[in-house]
Amino acid sequence: MKIDVSLSLGFTDKGGKPESGINVSLSIPAGEMTPANPVKFIAVQTDPEGKETKNGGKILEVAVGDKSHIYVAVAPPKYLLEKANIEKTVRALDVKVQEGKYNSEKGEFDEVNAPG
């Protein structure tokens, strides 16, 4: 059985008006977890309408296929940098750790599909 979980979080101003948010998703594949069938966890910053922000983008992405296929990417939410008034100090911070070659656009580890 494949399991997909989605959660939307919102940030509001003092008057309750939506300002930004984060969409979180967890995907647990059917069958055995493998590099071709990884577990995926993603958190994406959204605008007030719930759409992914162009400059905020993915703030957390984790994919695990097995002990040799692990990918973790972290970036601070732009909204929180602005609220903390440090967006001019911390302009960009991305941290990526991986074992194996993960293609985040395809959502899979590249060498799984490499010609043998």
Side-chain angles (χ1 to χ4, degrees):
M1 168 188 344
K2 182 176 183 195
I3 300 171
D4 288 313
V5 179
S6 295
L7 171 67
S8 292
L9 306 169
F11 300 108
T12 58
D13 64 14
K14 292 178 183 176
K17 179 182 173 192
E19 291 186 325
S20 185
I22 297 175
N23 284 343
V24 179
S25 64
L26 170 66
S27 179
I28 301 172
E32 186 178 342
M33 179 178 71
T34 66
N37 203 25
V39 169
K40 293 181 260 185
F41 179 83
I42 299 171
V44 179
Q45 183 176 328
T46 61
D47 64 17
E49 289 79 41
K51 296 177 184 168
E52 183 176 337
T53 57
K54 292 182 177 153
N55 296 329
K58 289 181 186 171
I59 56 176
L60 176 63
E61 182 174 15
V62 177
V64 180
D66 62 23
K67 67 180 183 176
S68 298
H69 294 87
I70 299 167
Y71 176 81
V72 179
V74 181
K78 186 174 181 183
Y79 172 78
L80 293 180
L81 293 176
E82 291 168 354
K83 281 297 185 186
N85 200 25
I86 58 173
E87 77 276 11
K88 292 183 175 124
T89 304
V90 180
R91 293 190 182 130
L93 171 64
D94 295 316
V95 178
K96 291 183 183 169
V97 178
Q98 68 182 9
E99 176 128 2
K101 295 179 182 176
Y102 186 70
N103 183 326
S104 63
E105 294 200 13
K106 291 182 181 177
E108 61 188 33
F109 289 89
D110 279 340
E111 66 256 10
V112 172
N113 297 321

